[in-house]
Amino acid sequence: QVQLVESGGGLVQAGGSLRLSCAASGLTFSRHCMGWFRQAPGKEREFVAAISWGGGTGGYAPSVKGRFTISRDNAKNTVYLQMNSLKPEDTAVYYCAASTLRWAITAGQYAYWGQGTQVTVSS
């Protein structure tokens, strides 16, 4: 059974930083593209960042590029999202997801999802 468990969310002031973690189990982690998505109240789930199997390729939504960094540790079956210079508009539930594709940036390409972790940025 595949499990993705996010952690690291919380309340932070604008301009602050948070680091999200997602621990995966029940899958061959190194052969899954890993992604982060977020969903704000009343809005659709949106792509935030993705990282390829070996970590050599990363991609970001324009709204977070230059502020967020995705990374992975295949030895620990964990993917991270370092979020710097946070803005109130970054407030959302952040979801970790796994895809069997080498590269994926749309929600429909991801087969497995975590339960989400709340990130709240105050102004």
Side-chain angles (χ1 to χ4, degrees):
Q1 180 181 0
V2 175
Q3 283 194 315
L4 302 177
V5 180
E6 302 98 333
S7 61
L11 173 64
V12 64
Q13 289 188 334
S17 298
L18 282 175
R19 188 195 196 201
L20 305 183
S21 299
C22 172
S25 60
L27 75 170
T28 305
F29 184 76
S30 62
R31 297 182 71 83
H32 283 74
C33 175
M34 299 301 296
W36 287 97
F37 290 76
R38 67 186 182 186
Q39 187 167 18
K43 295 187 177 181
E44 294 187 353
R45 189 170 299 189
E46 65 174 358
F47 169 77
V48 175
I51 188 165
S52 60
W53 286 16
T57 300
Y60 302 90
S63 59
V64 307
K65 194 171 185 179
R67 299 187 297 122
F68 291 11
T69 302
I70 189 171
S71 61
R72 65 190 297 162
D73 186 338
N74 286 349
K76 296 182 178 180
N77 286 6
T78 302
V79 62
Y80 306 96
L81 186 68
Q82 178 66 43
M83 306 186 294
N84 298 329
S85 303
L86 283 161
K87 305 175 181 180
E89 50 263 44
D90 294 318
T91 295
V93 176
Y94 283 70
Y95 297 91
C96 170
S99 171
T100 57
L101 301 176
R102 288 184 179 273
W103 182 246
I105 61 171
T106 64
Q109 295 175 306
Y110 286 82
Y112 307 107
W113 293 83
Q115 82 289 348
T117 186
Q118 176 70 46
V119 171
T120 303
V121 184
S122 63
S123 57

